[in-house]
């Protein structure tokens, strides 16, 4: 009987500590007015960096966190540091990212979603980020063993991180209806970037990037910045100057004895 009392006491203590931790985390989230949660099959890290750079250029003190080729924490001045992990990647590390952002006085946080399992997609958004703006770059046939079996199922899985009573931005073209359904359920407004907006990114704007960037990523990031009241020119100039993800695609050309050689 005594063992049962001890176990009950330990359980109650752990539950209380968890409740306190959740309360403290929510208070920290409330200190960051603009929280952008970025998800999708392709381009998450690039779009996270582009949005954060545009926000910084627009005068918002912004932190960002990517989980691309190498996990990075990006600070308001644009400098970045690797995210230390003692073991495997875990979505709970987002709590530490939020704590760091609050400690440096961030007004905005752009954070890349780490989750793949549909249940974790929901957990990451509803408990850890509670975004004011959600971003789904696209839905493609990838991680089908977890999110599949079809591309439409991938879109459904990604919808787990649609914010409640917020805004969702996407450059997805094929599964917009699925995203619309999720937004209606969460009372969130959907902002779908059109083909015309993507094609409207000029050659001059793309030429400002020192690496190979995609028009749909730029159009999506600019749409978010426009929503935040940041002028297009200021946002795009901030994006040009931002450091790209370590795994980004670059192109180099070399003239060699009358032959033009292109390295990718």
């Amino acid at each position: 009987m005594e063992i049962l009392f001890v176990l009950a006491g330990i359980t109650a203590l752990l539950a209380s500590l968890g409740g306190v931790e959740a309360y403290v985390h929510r208070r920290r989230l409330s200190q960051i007015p603009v929280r952008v949660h970025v998800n999708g099959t392709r381009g998450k890290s690039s779009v996270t960096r582009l949005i954060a750079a545009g926000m910084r250029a627009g005068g918002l003190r912004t932190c960002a966190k990517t989980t691309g080729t190498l996990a990075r924490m990006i600070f308001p001045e644009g400098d970045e540091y690797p995210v230390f992990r003692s073991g495997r990647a875990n979505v709970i590390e987002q709590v530490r990212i939020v704590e760091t952002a609050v400690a440096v006085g961030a007004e905005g946080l752009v954070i890349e979603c780490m989750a793949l399992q549909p249940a974790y997609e929901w957990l990451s958004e509803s408990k850890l980020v509670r975004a004011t703006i959600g971003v789904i770059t696209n839905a493609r046939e990838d991680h089908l063993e977890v999110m599949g079996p079809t591309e439409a199922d991938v879109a459904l899985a990604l919808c787990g991180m649609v914010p409640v009573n917020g805004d969702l931005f996407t450059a997805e073209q094929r599964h917009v209806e699925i995203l619309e359904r999720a937004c209606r359920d969460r009372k969130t407004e959907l902002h779908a970037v059109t083909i015309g907006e993507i094609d409207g990114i000029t050659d001059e704007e793309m030429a400002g990037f020192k690496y190979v960037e995609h028009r749909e990523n730029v159009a999506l990031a600019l749409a978010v910045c426009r929503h935040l009241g940041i002028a297009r020119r200021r946002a795009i100039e901030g994006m040009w100057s931002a450091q790209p993800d370590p795994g980004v695609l670059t192109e180099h050309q070399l003239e060699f004895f009358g032959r033009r050689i292109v390295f990718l």
Side-chain angles (χ1 to χ4, degrees):
M1 185 65 70
E2 290 182 0
I3 293 177
L4 291 178
F5 279 122
V6 170
L7 289 175
I10 293 173
T11 301
L13 176 62
L14 291 175
S16 298
L17 291 174
V20 170
E21 183 181 29
Y23 172 75
V24 170
H25 180 65
R26 287 202 177 189
R27 283 203 61 183
R28 287 177 180 145
L29 286 173
S30 68
Q31 295 175 259
I32 307 174
V34 181
R35 301 182 300 277
V36 184
H37 200 183
V38 182
N39 204 355
T41 306
R42 293 284 179 267
K44 293 188 294 293
S45 296
S46 291
V47 170
T48 297
R49 287 175 177 272
L50 291 173
I51 293 172
M55 288 170 61
R56 290 196 303 270
L60 277 171
R61 187 169 174 80
T62 303
C63 284
K65 187 253 187 174
T66 66
T67 58
T69 304
L70 297 170
R72 287 285 190 271
M73 178 77 181
I74 306 167
F75 289 87
E77 293 74 26
D79 50 326
E80 59 183 71
Y81 297 91
V83 175
F84 173 76
R85 291 167 175 162
S86 57
R88 296 179 62 183
N90 191 307
V91 295
I92 299 300
E93 76 181 33
Q94 309 291 49
V95 173
R96 181 160 47 103
I97 299 303
V98 171
E99 181 181 4
T100 303
V102 169
V104 298
E107 301 168 296
L109 173 63
V110 188
I111 192 164
E112 181 180 344
C113 184
M114 297 176 62
L116 288 177
Q117 294 278 0
Y120 291 164
E121 299 264 355
W122 171 82
L123 175 69
S124 183
E125 167 53 33
S126 65
K127 303 300 182 185
L128 301 179
V129 180
R130 301 175 68 83
T132 57
I133 297 173
V135 176
I136 295 178
T137 57
N138 47 56
R140 299 289 180 266
E141 290 186 346
D142 197 10
H143 298 293
L144 296 182
E145 74 285 356
V146 176
M147 307 172 80
T150 70
E151 189 176 85
D153 291 310
V154 173
L156 283 167
L158 293 171
C159 285
M161 54 73 61
V162 172
V164 176
N165 294 319
D167 293 274
L168 179 72
F169 288 79
T170 186
E172 172 59 31
Q173 304 297 318
R174 293 197 288 268
H175 303 291
V176 176
E177 185 180 335
I178 293 174
L179 304 186
E180 286 176 341
R181 194 161 69 239
C183 285
R184 284 196 301 270
D185 180 65
R186 304 283 175 90
K187 295 180 173 56
T188 281
E189 184 175 355
L190 177 64
H191 307 263
V193 174
T194 65
I195 293 293
E197 289 176 284
I198 294 171
D199 292 341
I201 303 298
T202 67
D203 291 340
E204 177 195 357
E205 288 172 330
M206 295 305 299
F209 292 98
K210 300 178 181 65
Y211 57 95
V212 179
E213 188 53 272
H214 300 280
R215 274 183 162 82
E216 54 265 39
N217 289 346
V218 177
L220 184 55
L222 284 175
V224 174
C225 290
R226 181 173 65 246
H227 178 75
L228 294 172
I230 301 169
R232 182 185 181 101
R233 186 67 185 182
R234 177 165 292 185
I236 197 76
E237 287 177 351
M239 295 174 192
W240 289 340
S241 62
Q243 185 172 333
D245 190 72
V248 78
L249 180 65
T250 58
E251 179 181 323
H252 309 275
Q253 298 188 19
L254 173 68
E255 293 292 337
F256 186 74
F257 291 97
R259 304 176 72 178
R260 186 169 69 92
I261 302 175
V262 179
F263 292 93
L264 290 177

